[in-house]
Amino acid sequence: MTEILPTRPVSGPQLAAQTKSDLRAVAEKLEASFLAEMLKSAGVGDQDNSFSGSPGEAQFASFQREALAREMVASGGIGLANIFYANLKEKINDR
């Protein structure tokens, strides 16, 4: 299983640049996951036309939503990554 947060103990001013970039990447992944779910709820990727309806269509629509969500985050997102990053950094500093 992939480790989400680093397990090495880090505190206060010793928070390494690598750890900060790891936390930022995790925060951006969380925001992208949230946005992908919101896009799914909004119906992005769903099609109702004569070419739709194949069994694999839903799977490929989820790939489209995930890619769109990652691009949204890369373009600045909706600000959740900043909140997630601050909370994760605070959590690591509390250890």
Side-chain angles (χ1 to χ4, degrees):
M1 189 159 118
T2 304
E3 181 181 339
I4 294 179
L5 291 175
T7 57
R8 60 189 180 275
V10 179
S11 63
Q14 297 173 348
L15 188 61
Q18 182 61 41
T19 303
K20 288 182 180 180
S21 65
D22 290 346
L23 290 178
R24 188 70 189 169
V26 168
E28 289 176 358
K29 286 180 186 177
L30 285 170
E31 183 176 7
S33 295
F34 174 80
L35 288 173
E37 286 301 313
M38 292 301 102
L39 291 170
K40 180 179 179 181
S41 294
V44 172
D46 296 339
Q47 295 183 14
D48 283 328
N49 57 39
S50 60
F51 295 108
S52 64
S54 68
E57 185 175 345
Q59 181 65 40
F60 288 107
S62 71
F63 291 147
Q64 179 189 19
R65 285 188 295 268
E66 289 169 12
L68 183 57
R70 283 192 304 271
E71 289 300 317
M72 289 171 70
V73 170
S75 298
I78 59 173
L80 284 178
N82 294 333
I83 295 168
F84 292 147
Y85 174 73
N87 287 330
L88 290 170
K89 191 166 82 170
E90 181 180 317
K91 186 77 166 172
I92 284 184
N93 287 335
D94 285 346
R95 285 188 190 173

